[in-house]
Amino acid sequence: MVEKQQIEIDLLDIFVSLNRGLNLSDVMFQLNNLYTPRGEKAEQAVLIEVLNSLTEKDYLKNFKVGSLDSWKITDEGEDYFYSL
């Protein structure tokens, strides 16, 4: 299982790289593309916890697209990512 801190960094990297909003299934797809070759998998419950944590810190913005929750990186999130 992948650690929360690694998921947080990888999520920020994905959002910075793609620079667009992603829903939960898109995020899971992107993360598992990173982890599957290493024989690891991101658990959905942990992913949701990390997404909510990043949203509370104002690193991600949560919004609805149709009936789906989606997230997009904020300027604060980009600054934090580049400071790592």
Side-chain angles (χ1 to χ4, degrees), residues 23-76:
N23 63 39
L24 186 60
S25 61
D26 291 337
V27 173
M28 284 293 296
F29 177 78
Q30 292 293 330
L31 278 179
N32 285 321
N33 273 342
L34 292 174
Y35 299 148
T36 301
R38 299 188 304 210
E40 298 175 334
K41 183 178 178 186
E43 298 295 327
Q44 185 170 339
V46 175
L47 174 59
I48 291 170
E49 188 177 325
V50 172
L51 284 168
N52 289 335
S53 172
L54 290 172
T55 301
E56 288 173 10
K57 295 176 185 175
D58 291 328
Y59 296 158
L60 295 179
K61 178 183 175 189
N62 181 271
F63 59 96
K64 291 247 186 229
V65 175
S67 63
L68 298 175
D69 281 337
S70 296
W71 292 265
K72 184 171 171 109
I73 195 154
T74 63
D75 291 338
E76 293 83 5

